Each structure stands twice: as structure tokens, then as C-alpha cells.
Amino acid sequence: MALYTDIAAEIYPEGRGHVPAGVRVHTASASGIDLVRVDVLRDGLARKKGRYITLDMPSFARIDERNEAYVWAVASQLRTLLPREGLVLVAGIGNRGVTADALGPETADRVFVTRQLAGEQAKHLALRPVAAVAPGVEGMTGMSSTELLAGLVRRLSPSAVVAVDSLCTGEARRLGCSVQLSTAGLAPRSGDAIDREALGVPVVAVGVPTVMEASHLLHAKRPLVVTPRDIDAIVRRAANLLALAVNKALQPMLSVGELSFLTS
């Protein structure tokens, strides 16, 4: 049974195994944060064409999610992947009723939304227009997240969508400890993809591994995933950090402290 992972850095690890033609891997490290950037330059490979950035940090269960170094590390990378202007729609993907899958909705709840402000008021405050939504899961709404987001995109005409979701890792060291950002959007194991082809605008996916593929460890014949014991703390603090990072990327004139106050 092939080991499943959403993390591109685990499929194309620099210095381990063969990196195929059309894939470039770059690594860096600063302030206790390791960065792995994977550029998939052509179609037909194990990952969709696009840029994948993985930031490896200490466990979210133990860090201060308002730490400016961690917030800025994510925000600065996200900013490079987004258009400089225009409305951004932040979509929290997942089921808030399942802790390991609640990262997206929990993050969307903390996003600093500004679209409702009048045009001149927003311009005076130098705020970028932002909207946020948690579309829920198809089993509860009868509609897929892709269908709901496509309707919102047609209505709002955003310059980009930021889709936040829980991810699956194949390496225990990244469980609850990493952030992946990707211009390729989301491609869940089941369900429709949430990407530029589906929505008609750029989609940047942001996620944290909250489950790990463990079939190989337990010799299971069917797919099996596990979560860490402190999953509640991981999701709560990861959602806080991701929301602050999204807010900082979209409202760079505001400090982390100001954004924390505005969304508390």
C-alpha cells in the first residue's frame, strides 16, 4: 500500500531519493524554522504543477501562536503567493465537528474581515478587502465546498482564494509541527479539487498536518490515520497562528498585536 501524504516536501525530499526532471527543491533555515520549497514545473508528476512551501516549526501544542517570528514566517511566504491587490476570499475547509478536521473553519472564524466596510472608509484606513467563509461539509449541506465557493467567486469576483484545511503527513516529525502553502490549491483524497481550474481565480492552499498515515506502521490492510494526543491544543493554536498570518499578509500595515486585538 502506497504511503499517502499531502506534503510535497515528503515526496521530493532534497538529498534523499531521486528528484525527477521538472522538480526543483530548495531548503533554508532561520530563527528555528526550516523551509523547504518545492517547485513542480510540469504536469504528470506525483504533485500538481505549482509551488509548495513547507515551514517546519516546534509543535503547535507548545508554541506561543502570537509569536511574531512564527506569524511573520508564514505571512511573508503567503504574501509572495498572492496578488498584491483586490478582494481575497478566505475559505475554511473541513468539518468543525471533528477536531482533527476543524482547522479550516476555526481559522476562518478568526480572519479579520473588511469587505463590509464602505469603500472610502476602507481606503482611508488602508485596509485590503477580505471576506471569510466556512462552507461546511457535503454530508451536512448537500453541496461540496467547491460548488459553494464557485458560487461565491462568481458573486464576489475576488482576486484570489486562500483555502485553509487540515492535511495528512507521512512523517511523525511534521504532525502538528508544519505549515504547507501551495499555489496548486487543494486536492483532497475524496471530493472535488479546490483550485484555479475549478474556481477561475488563483487559489493558495494553506494547511497544517493534523493526521498521519499509519497503515505501514500497524501493517493495516486498509488506510489508517492517527492524530496526536494533544490534537485539541494543536488545532486551536494552529488556527490562531494561521489566522494571524493571513491577516498580517493581507493587512501588512497593522502589527500582530493590533490584529490580535481586532480579532479577539
Side-chain angles (χ1 to χ4, degrees):
M1 181 186 300
L3 182 66
Y4 180 82
T5 178
D6 289 314
I7 309 301
E10 296 174 3
I11 297 175
Y12 305 114
E14 186 178 56
R16 286 188 290 142
H18 173 65
V19 176
V23 176
R24 295 177 183 169
V25 181
H26 169 78
T27 62
S29 182
S31 302
I33 301 170
D34 295 328
L35 178 147
V36 182
R37 187 179 70 228
V38 177
D39 290 307
V40 179
L41 306 176
R42 63 181 176 86
D43 295 321
L45 297 172
R47 275 294 175 269
K48 185 180 175 183
K49 183 178 177 181
R51 170 163 287 186
Y52 302 79
I53 299 170
T54 302
L55 298 166
D56 295 321
M57 306 178 183
S59 171
F60 289 112
R62 294 188 294 273
I63 68 170
D64 176 3
E65 67 270 30
R66 293 179 175 83
N67 182 298
E68 294 199 16
Y70 297 136
V71 172
W72 179 243
V74 179
S76 61
Q77 295 301 322
L78 176 58
R79 206 164 151 72
T80 67
L81 305 180
L82 289 171
R84 290 295 182 184
E85 298 179 341
L87 169 70
V88 172
L89 174 61
V90 181
I93 308 302
N95 185 347
R96 67 171 70 246
V98 178
T99 302
D101 196 33
L103 177 69
E106 292 288 335
T107 301
D109 289 347
R110 296 163 172 79
V111 169
F112 181 40
V113 294
T114 57
R115 179 179 177 267
Q116 74 279 14
L117 299 175
E120 288 302 317
Q121 183 181 9
K123 186 181 296 185
H124 175 71
L125 296 172
L127 295 176
R128 183 171 185 173
V130 178
V133 64
V137 293
E138 190 170 1
M140 299 178 68
T141 66
M143 297 169 283
S144 71
S145 295
T146 305
E147 290 173 322
L148 289 168
L149 290 176
L152 284 173
V153 167
R154 286 193 295 269
R155 176 68 177 177
L156 302 180
S157 299
S159 65
V161 171
V162 175
V164 183
D165 197 8
S166 302
L167 303 177
C168 179
T169 178
E171 298 184 7
R173 68 185 182 89
R174 285 198 167 97
L175 190 58
C177 300
S178 301
V179 177
Q180 178 176 267
L181 306 96
S182 172
T183 60
L186 292 174
R189 295 176 84 170
S190 61
D192 300 330
I194 301 175
D195 55 20
R196 185 167 193 157
E197 288 73 18
L199 301 186
V201 298
V203 176
V204 177
V206 181
V208 170
T210 60
V211 297
M212 186 181 79
E213 173 68 73
S215 306
H216 62 301
L217 298 176
L218 301 176
H219 306 290
K221 296 182 179 180
R222 302 177 64 181
L224 177 67
V225 296
V226 297
T227 63
R229 181 180 304 173
D230 45 7
I231 186 64
D232 295 276
I234 286 172
V235 169
R236 182 177 66 254
R237 291 179 178 172
N240 285 335
L241 186 145
L242 291 186
L244 279 173
V246 169
N247 294 336
K248 182 62 178 174
L250 298 177
Q251 314 296 350
M253 298 298 291
L254 297 176
S255 70
V256 172
E258 290 169 331
L259 289 166
S260 296
F261 174 78
L262 289 168
T263 55
S264 61

